[in-house]
Amino acid sequence: MNKGLIALAFGGLAIGMTEFNMMGLLMDIAKDVNISIPEASNLIGLYALGVVVGAPTLVIATANVPPKKVLIYLMLMFFLFNGIFSMAPNGWSLYISRFVSGLPHGAFFGVGSVVAAKLAKPGREAQAIAAMFTGMTLANLAGIPLGTYVGHHFSWRITYGVISLLGLVTAVSIYFWLPVIEKPTINIRKQMNYFGRKEAWLIIAVISIGTGGLFAWISYIGPLVTKVSGVDEGNVPIIMFLVGLGMFIGNLIGGKLADTVIPTKAAMYSFMAMALVLVFGYFISSVEWAAYPMAFLTGAVAFSIGSSLQMMLINSAEGAETLAASAGQAAFNIGNSIGAYFGAIPIGLGLAYNTPMLVGAGLAFTGSVLAFVYLIKYRLRQFNNKVSK
């Protein structure tokens, strides 16, 4: 693999660990600072809010800075903010530091997606982006189970201290391994005009609603497998490992699929598959042994979506690719908030911890429908362009 893509994958590893370790450590953090699990779940939403705020603002603020420098600066911010979070002494300081630790996330993947596509051979852009996201899937495969184990048996603060140091490692690897990418000449007005197009908001809706299906499930995976499936708490890291393995394989399949068929079709298929898997998982969630293969399968289907969504954004935003790609990460984390919020509603009503899976299925199905609407509009635009020529 290209060393530049490896450096970007390190960033995906660090970001994946800071985002998804929260799900496995939610009960430990709640116990440590004496708050309830629903209160602790605010840390998921606040991180997502940080991504939403940071993605467009940091991309615009660094619009004319060479991409390599931008990526280094973002990972140094990641190192600092996650270090602060790991030392926060109480609930409010946790909330604030968790929000600021999310600021570099969307901008990193936005800039990184465009850089990865430029490093790729023609026709393999989605697979190059998938290579960057491999770091995030490796986080789920190895980093999160290890982080969950350390958090359960020692302290969640150690886990997040290590995550902070991974940000520093990423900044150094980018400095040495990523080639210099030509400094962009960007018209800020043209970038912002992207958000004046209905097409842009339709893609953002596809991502925000559809990926909510993933987060309605994974935000509560700890209590789901322990309280519903009957899995021993000591086996939660195994569950997280299987989720990560599924995400790793699903990400690679998704990249290949998005380069084989058009990205919009790939997104539509993945969202529909996610909805079906979540419904099936709901009905067998009380079977203990089934929790293990379902963790793998759901992770694989859920993460087959990433590169196709990024390519949809990049392809729709000539002249504003970086801002569009970063907006995709903001939308992904709106999905994080939507999934966690709506997934919590049936739990708050006293229903079992498997009911968020039905919420997630509804969100994923809606994402598939919206992707189909976009596909129809995309084909109609292509037809009109051919006629006009």
Side-chain angles (χ1 to χ4, degrees):
M1 186 188 294
N2 184 298
K3 279 190 175 182
L5 293 177
I6 294 174
L8 295 176
F10 278 153
L13 172 65
I15 289 173
M17 287 189 67
T18 197
E19 182 170 22
F20 290 108
N21 254 301
M22 183 58 60
M23 287 67 169
L25 295 174
L26 208 59
M27 292 184 287
D28 300 281
I29 294 173
K31 187 184 297 184
D32 183 44
V33 295
N34 197 29
I35 57 177
S36 68
I37 290 177
E39 287 174 327
S41 70
N42 289 330
L43 295 170
I44 299 171
L46 284 167
Y47 181 87
L49 180 61
V51 179
V52 172
V53 172
T57 54
L58 291 177
V59 165
I60 292 170
T62 59
N64 291 307
V65 178
K68 180 174 179 175
K69 283 188 177 181
V70 174
L71 292 168
I72 291 172
Y73 296 155
L74 291 172
M75 291 315 296
L76 290 175
M77 290 173 62
F78 177 96
F79 163 66
L80 175 63
F81 295 155
N82 278 278
I84 293 172
F85 176 73
S86 71
M87 296 182 287
N90 53 47
W92 282 108
S93 60
L94 280 174
Y95 292 152
I96 295 169
S97 56
R98 182 64 174 167
F99 167 76
V100 297
S101 70
L103 295 175
H105 176 137
F108 180 87
F109 278 130
V111 176
S113 293
V114 175
V115 169
K118 288 183 178 180
L119 293 175
K121 295 178 181 179
R124 302 191 65 177
E125 291 85 356
Q127 291 175 71
I129 292 172
M132 177 182 68
F133 282 108
T134 296
M136 181 172 277
T137 59
L138 285 173
N140 285 279
L141 179 63
I144 293 173
L146 181 60
T148 302
Y149 178 86
V150 171
H152 280 328
H153 293 87
F154 299 97
S155 171
W156 67 268
R157 297 181 187 276
I158 296 174
T159 298
Y160 274 89
V162 172
I163 289 170
S164 173
L165 289 175
L166 283 174
L168 183 60
V169 170
T170 302
V172 173
S173 67
I174 289 171
Y175 179 82
F176 285 108
W177 290 350
L178 191 70
V180 175
I181 305 294
E182 184 179 350
K183 180 180 177 179
T185 301
I186 294 175
N187 185 314
I188 300 297
R189 180 176 292 180
K190 186 175 182 180
Q191 290 265 333
M192 294 305 298
N193 283 344
Y194 176 72
F195 293 113
R197 297 164 55 189
K198 292 180 180 178
E199 179 185 18
W201 290 105
L202 181 54
I203 300 176
I204 289 171
V206 169
I207 300 171
S208 300
I209 297 173
T211 59
L214 162 64
F215 290 102
W217 164 67
I218 202 170
S219 296
Y220 306 99
I221 191 169
L224 166 66
V225 298
T226 55
K227 298 180 184 298
V228 179
S229 302
V231 173
D232 186 89
E233 278 193 20
N235 289 337
V236 171
I238 298 174
I239 293 289
M240 299 308 294
F241 171 82
L242 290 169
V243 170
L245 181 61
M247 288 180 171
F248 178 79
I249 294 173
N251 175 60
L252 297 178
I253 293 172
K256 182 68 174 176
L257 180 64
D259 280 334
T260 303
V261 302
I262 62 174
T264 310
K265 273 190 176 181
M268 186 175 67
Y269 297 154
S270 293
F271 278 135
M272 183 58 70
M274 190 192 308
L276 292 173
V277 167
L278 286 171
V279 170
F280 180 68
Y282 168 81
F283 284 108
I284 65 168
S285 58
S286 61
V287 181
E288 181 180 351
W289 66 263
Y292 298 93
M294 286 307 300
F296 170 81
L297 179 61
T298 312
V301 171
F303 243 69
S304 66
I305 194 74
S307 52
S308 59
L309 294 175
Q310 288 296 93
M311 287 305 300
M312 282 176 64
L313 287 158
I314 292 172
N315 291 343
S316 72
E318 184 178 356
E321 292 89 350
T322 303
L323 184 61
S326 66
Q329 287 301 308
F332 184 77
N333 280 273
I334 291 173
N336 186 331
S337 297
I338 288 173
Y341 176 79
F342 284 103
I345 290 175
I347 296 172
L349 294 174
L351 299 176
Y353 277 99
N354 61 348
T355 49
M357 300 180 78
L358 295 180
V359 175
L363 292 170
F365 177 75
T366 304
S368 180
V369 171
L370 291 174
F372 177 73
V373 172
Y374 180 82
L375 178 64
I376 298 301
K377 289 180 174 290
Y378 172 84
R379 284 185 165 176
L380 182 61
R381 187 176 70 247
Q382 274 193 329
F383 174 76
N384 290 336
N385 288 341
K386 286 181 180 179
V387 170
S388 64
K389 289 179 180 179

